[in-house]
Amino acid sequence: MRVVKTIKQLRRAVKAIRLKGRKIGFVPTMGYFHAGHLSLMAKAKRECGACVVSIYVNPKQFAPHEDLGRYPRDLRRDSTLAEKENVDILFIPSDNVVYPKSFLTYIDVEKISRTLCGQYRPGHFRGVATVVAKLLNMATPDVMYLGQKDAQQAAVLKTMAADLDFPLTVRVMPTVREKDGLAMSSRNVYLTARERAQAPVLYRSLNLARARIQKGERSAAGIIRFIRKNIARHTEGKIQYVACVDADTLGPLKILKGRVLIALSVFFGSTRLIDNVIIPVKKPREVQN
Ligand code: AMP
């Protein structure tokens, strides 16, 4: 595995891989790897032959009050884990490599950046889209691998790649979970033991909602109410939002139909956890309450 820090080194290493006739699968990350990150690397390696991973905690996607300063980092451990996944290139740029002083250009994916998490994190997806566009231009991959865990991020980046004609495929892979169902996240280390014990209720609530839909519930409001109640009953978490939207456009739904994304964000203390499920709803039925 080559560890590179500059764009020039990265481009040279990518070129050497291409000369051997291999495709490039790219996994952008903020590091502090868990099994979710590793699953993306394994998939990239398997499907493309070569895997490039970036680690960059992007300051432009954190609001001033958010956790940029305390975001967990462990480059040595990350590099050992990446090596075990047979990652070919680990790209770890510094702030001045990504954002030189002269930097002025931003990417705003309208509309779908404003709903769900975007409502509460203004500027977040602008920061994400901007850094990922830059990383794509640096790494020039054939395929980019993203996690379903960050459903809105995946939707925003897919739209950006299509709108700006990035010559690549975007693959969104399933959320990897702890045994008790909690979605793996670098931020889970912030949870106290009490919060950690309550956190699996999020996924449990989503699954109970899925069961209700499978039994015929088609009212978005009914499902949202049900999930909110379940979380409030079993945890001390503070709900930021629970939403049922179209999985592709992220547009709001009143009646559940098509590919439905149920997404939520809940604070446990100062830790904000997100989770989601996608539920295919075949035939619209009568609304039941
Ligand atoms: P992050 O380092 O949190 O920015 O995540 C880097 C990539 O890993 C993003 O595409 C995430 O969606 C993905 N990811 C994060 N957590 C998980 C998970 N539990 N399962 C699958 N992918 C994940």
Side-chain angles (χ1 to χ4, degrees):
M1 183 177 79
R2 287 213 49 199
V3 180
V4 296
K5 294 185 172 172
T6 68
I7 300 170
K8 197 170 169 189
Q9 289 169 336
L10 173 65
R11 291 217 167 110
R12 202 174 282 163
V14 165
K15 196 170 173 189
I17 289 174
R18 286 211 185 284
L19 282 175
K20 290 184 197 149
R22 286 192 290 167
K23 283 192 174 175
I24 308 277
F26 177 52
V27 182
T29 81
M30 299 207 296
Y32 210 70
F33 294 154
H34 51 66
H37 296 114
L38 303 183
S39 74
L40 300 180
M41 295 175 205
K43 191 78 179 173
K45 185 72 187 176
R46 207 159 52 239
E47 288 188 347
C48 295
C51 174
V52 176
V53 175
S54 64
I55 298 179
Y56 182 59
V57 183
N58 173 33
K60 296 200 187 288
Q61 69 190 66
F62 288 78
H65 65 277
E66 291 181 342
D67 57 344
L68 173 64
R70 65 172 191 137
Y71 195 83
R73 294 161 214 243
D74 190 342
L75 285 182
R76 190 177 293 179
R77 179 173 166 273
D78 284 353
S79 142
T80 307
L81 290 171
E83 183 124 44
K84 272 197 201 140
E85 292 299 330
N86 295 313
V87 166
D88 295 84
I89 305 172
L90 184 58
F91 178 45
I92 313 180
S94 58
D95 284 338
N96 53 0
V97 165
V98 181
Y99 299 115
K101 279 208 178 82
S102 55
F103 187 82
L104 290 173
T105 307
Y106 291 85
I107 293 179
D108 182 19
V109 183
E110 294 182 353
K111 251 175 152 169
I112 61 170
S113 292
R114 313 275 188 266
T115 62
L116 305 177
C117 296
Q119 272 175 275
Y120 303 96
R121 303 185 74 187
H124 171 70
F125 290 111
R126 179 181 187 254
V128 170
T130 301
V131 81
V132 172
K134 284 178 66 72
L135 292 168
L136 290 174
N137 283 332
M138 295 174 195
T140 62
D142 299 280
V143 186
M144 171 165 65
Y145 293 85
L146 302 171
Q148 179 57 38
K149 150 93 185 344
D150 299 279
Q152 187 172 16
Q153 172 170 281
V156 166
L157 294 177
K158 263 186 169 179
T159 304
M160 177 194 80
D163 288 355
L164 298 184
D165 308 299
F166 277 91
L168 85 164
T169 308
V170 179
R171 300 261 283 134
V172 183
M173 307 314 299
T175 301
V176 176
R177 299 179 179 281
E178 303 287 355
K179 279 204 183 84
D180 59 13
L182 175 64
M184 288 196 183
S185 164
S186 307
R187 290 188 167 102
N188 290 350
V189 293
Y190 299 152
L191 298 170
T192 63
R194 189 181 171 87
E195 290 160 356
R196 175 63 188 81
Q198 295 177 1
V201 170
L202 303 187
Y203 186 51
R204 239 176 275 148
S205 305
L206 290 168
N207 275 329
L208 290 171
R210 186 202 316 265
R212 291 202 145 207
I213 294 169
Q214 283 163 353
K215 278 196 193 142
E217 170 75 90
R218 292 294 180 270
S219 156
I223 286 295
I224 291 167
R225 214 164 32 238
F226 170 77
I227 294 173
R228 282 182 162 274
K229 258 195 202 157
N230 206 58
I231 293 171
R233 182 174 307 151
H234 299 290
T235 78
E236 293 152 322
K238 286 213 165 25
I239 298 170
Q240 189 174 50
Y241 72 80
V242 178
C244 292
V245 298
D246 179 276
D248 298 312
T249 65
L250 307 189
L253 293 172
K254 280 194 173 146
I255 305 296
L256 304 179
K257 60 169 189 257
R259 264 170 28 94
V260 174
L261 173 73
I262 309 183
L264 52 79
S265 160
V266 178
F267 276 97
F268 284 84
S270 58
T271 308
R272 184 176 173 277
L273 298 183
I274 56 171
D275 203 347
N276 68 82
V277 290
I278 291 181
I279 302 171
V281 180
K282 281 180 193 125
K283 276 184 236 140
R285 288 194 214 162
E286 278 197 3
V287 181
Q288 300 172 355
N289 277 313

